[in-house]
Amino acid sequence: MSSFDVVIIGSGPGGYVSAIRCAQLGFKTAIIEKYSTLGGTCLNVGCIPSKALLASSHHYEELQHFADHGIEVSGEVKVNLEKMIARKQAVVDQTSGGVKFLMDKNKVTVIEGMGSFVDATHVAIAKADGSSETIEGKNIIIATGSKPSTLPFITLDKERIITSTEALKLPEVPKHLVIIGGGVIGIELGQVYLRLGAQVSVVEYLDRIIPGMDAGLSKELTKVLKKQGMKFYTSHKVKSVVRTGDAVTIQADNAKGETISLEGDYCLVAVGRRPFTDGLNADKAGVKLTERGMVEVNDHLQTNVANIYAIGDVVRGAMLAHKAEEEGTMVAEILAGQKPHIDYNLIPGVVYTWPEVAAVGKTEEQLKADGVAYKAGSFPFKALGRARAGGDLDGFVKILADATTDEVLGVHMIGARCADLIAEAVTAMEFRASAEDISRMSHAHPTFAEAIKEAALAATDNRALHV
């Protein structure tokens, strides 16, 4: 029987990053992955493929506005969805192959198969060829990730009634794509197919889309997407989804209790994700799970069994790849006797639509609920020279700062390049910067980042310069 210092179950961003860090710290490390490719949901059917399709569809959309820049494109411009999806898969394959390279480089043993606990120190691996192997781990890290959720009355046939996984490889551009759920996944994939020519309708139970983010961001994104042609049915409770041939009928009740009916050729169910612990046999190791299948952990990501840890989507907190990476690194360093920390308030959230949406820290709604006195400063992208030069005028940056100390408590932005710009806010808040600190930093001109400086000026005695 092979024995390891650390055995990691799952090779998503949390698992493979943890494996690398464990190896760097001198641990003999093994990683178990049930699929034939490494990288988990994020690399194979999540973050990476969806961004590839968003990028391709964005290029197509930009063509529609080339004339505004004095560029005349003659002839017919067509979408080749098959080739677009093939490119997406090539990106996925290259990225997953890169993870395999990193495992080899760091001498991490990769074992393909379904891992399940035998007891607290042994994991059985059921392999695709029917064989099995059991290995021993002094420490074990659960990094099994999550799977798409659904509603109890919906039958997912994965052809017309689909999850995000199937939405990444459709055989055609839908005529009418109805999306149940106005969160990040639904909105991103909705914009992909909207750009390619589909009619897109979003049905959301709550009163706004991207409900976990600041209400101002939700309002602005809704306005922009409506302008692009997306339709929204917020405060609607779906009660039935029925497929008849190639048609799918969705019935939902609005806030008044009235029933509406939408018919599309595809229905994407994007109502969130659930922790994936199916087949893990956590009970054999004595590991406690919640009723929802989530692994219970303490502040050090340690389960109730001392040598077993859990990270990523399978534990509490936001289901984000970069959160999982930080947790994977943290556990590796704890095992090495170090004292790492994660400030969960400073894990940024991003929606990769265009305009992009990004945020870190507290929202206005949270500050009000907590009774925190704060001041806010905003700056619109349309007032930036760089935004006007590029034609990306939608959106704004908003900074929330403590009314007394001026410490930045939250930064919320929607606009071009915001997925990258949010890193400045995270850095500033990690070092407990004040709004005035940011306002006195020189920002290159002309750049989109100037909106952050101007929002900080607005939060500091309302003294933005360019609005």
Side-chain angles (χ1 to χ4, degrees):
M1 182 187 299
S2 298
S3 182
F4 298 88
D5 297 320
V6 183
V7 171
I8 300 166
I9 307 174
S11 74
Y16 87 73
V17 167
S18 189
I20 292 170
R21 189 68 183 118
C22 284
Q24 288 177 340
L25 291 166
F27 294 117
K28 183 183 179 184
T29 306
I31 192 163
I32 303 167
E33 173 53 57
K34 67 176 181 175
Y35 294 115
S36 59
T37 58
L38 302 177
T41 292
C42 178
L43 269 65
N44 291 281
V45 291
C47 321
I48 300 302
S50 63
K51 277 31 163 204
L53 289 181
L54 278 163
S56 296
S57 63
H58 184 58
H59 288 315
Y60 176 67
E61 183 186 44
E62 283 188 312
L63 275 172
Q64 322 305 316
H65 304 286
F66 273 15
D68 297 340
H69 294 267
I71 303 170
E72 297 180 2
V73 180
S74 60
E76 184 180 5
V77 178
K78 296 189 297 183
V79 171
N80 185 329
L81 184 62
E82 183 179 359
K83 190 170 183 179
M84 189 179 290
I85 288 178
R87 176 192 173 273
K88 175 267 299 182
Q89 190 58 45
V91 171
V92 168
D93 293 344
Q94 183 181 19
T95 308
S96 179
V99 175
K100 179 63 170 65
F101 166 79
L102 291 171
M103 296 299 97
D104 293 341
K105 175 187 174 184
N106 288 281
K107 297 180 173 55
V108 174
T109 300
V110 177
I111 307 172
E112 184 182 331
M114 181 72 179
S116 61
F117 282 103
V118 176
D119 54 39
T121 55
H122 295 84
V123 179
I125 302 119
K127 301 185 179 182
D129 62 5
S131 65
S132 64
E133 177 184 0
T134 298
I135 62 174
E136 183 178 35
K138 180 180 178 183
N139 297 286
I140 298 172
I141 301 172
I142 302 169
T144 47
S146 62
K147 292 288 183 183
S149 294
T150 185
L151 298 173
F153 53 85
I154 295 178
T155 300
L156 296 167
D157 62 21
K158 299 188 177 181
E159 293 177 353
R160 296 284 171 173
I161 304 173
I162 61 176
T163 70
S164 56
T165 300
E166 295 75 47
L168 294 167
K169 52 183 179 182
L170 290 182
E172 61 185 347
V173 176
K175 297 179 183 68
H176 183 195
L177 175 63
V178 180
I179 300 172
I180 300 174
V184 177
I185 295 170
I187 296 299
E188 287 183 357
L189 290 172
Q191 191 177 49
V192 167
Y193 288 105
L194 181 72
R195 289 166 172 168
L196 300 182
Q199 177 186 343
V200 177
S201 300
V202 178
V203 183
E204 169 56 47
Y205 177 72
L206 298 177
D207 62 355
R208 59 188 176 92
I209 62 171
I210 53 169
M213 303 187 89
D214 190 271
L217 300 181
S218 173
K219 182 179 179 180
E220 181 73 5
L221 184 60
T222 300
K223 182 183 78 174
V224 173
L225 292 178
K226 278 185 176 179
K227 188 168 60 177
Q228 294 175 4
M230 196 176 287
K231 295 182 179 179
F232 296 97
Y233 299 85
T234 53
S235 299
H236 279 68
K237 181 180 180 181
V238 174
K239 60 180 185 180
S240 71
V241 178
V242 178
R243 176 182 175 180
T244 307
D246 289 344
V248 183
T249 302
I250 295 90
Q251 290 194 323
D253 291 340
N254 64 19
K256 297 178 182 178
E258 302 164 336
T259 300
I260 68 155
S261 184
L262 297 171
E263 184 174 298
D265 51 339
Y266 290 89
C267 175
L268 168 58
V269 181
V271 293
R273 299 181 64 84
R274 65 174 181 85
F276 184 71
T277 48
D278 304 8
L280 185 63
N281 293 338
D283 56 321
K284 289 189 176 180
V287 173
K288 289 183 180 178
L289 305 181
T290 69
E291 291 181 1
R292 294 183 58 241
M294 185 176 290
V295 181
E296 291 186 2
V297 292
N298 61 20
D299 290 344
H300 295 106
L301 300 168
Q302 185 180 40
T303 69
N304 61 296
V305 181
N307 69 304
I308 301 176
Y309 295 75
I311 61 173
D313 289 4
V314 82
V315 302
R316 62 177 182 262
M319 291 186 176
L320 297 169
H322 46 285
K323 177 251 195 187
E325 290 183 8
E326 297 300 330
E327 290 181 333
T329 299
M330 177 173 167
V331 169
E333 292 176 353
I334 286 172
L335 293 176
Q338 299 180 16
K339 299 185 182 301
H341 80 284
I342 298 173
D343 186 341
Y344 286 95
N345 184 52
L346 299 184
I347 301 288
V350 178
V351 186
Y352 293 88
T353 49
W354 197 265
E356 293 174 333
V357 185
V360 64
K362 301 294 186 182
T363 66
E364 286 204 61
E365 294 76 23
Q366 289 170 330
L367 293 176
K368 287 174 182 176
D370 293 342
V372 177
Y374 69 94
K375 51 188 179 178
S378 294
F379 190 82
F381 275 95
K382 65 184 178 183
L384 283 182
R386 181 63 186 273
R388 285 195 295 272
D392 291 303
L393 302 177
D394 293 315
F396 61 86
V397 174
K398 176 168 67 175
I399 291 180
L400 308 174
D402 187 279
T404 303
T405 67
D406 197 39
E407 181 179 350
V408 177
L409 304 175
V411 180
H412 308 275
M413 54 180 75
I414 173 171
R417 318 282 177 84
C418 283
D420 299 301
L421 292 176
I422 198 63
E424 176 179 340
V426 176
T427 302
M429 292 176 66
E430 184 67 50
F431 288 93
R432 303 193 66 175
S434 65
E436 184 172 358
D437 288 333
I438 297 175
S439 75
R440 293 190 179 279
M441 291 164 51
S442 179
H443 288 66
H445 173 76
T447 60
F448 290 102
E450 287 178 285
I452 299 175
K453 176 185 175 78
E454 292 278 0
L457 283 165
T460 307
D461 303 323
N462 195 29
R463 53 189 180 93
L465 298 171
H466 290 90
V467 70

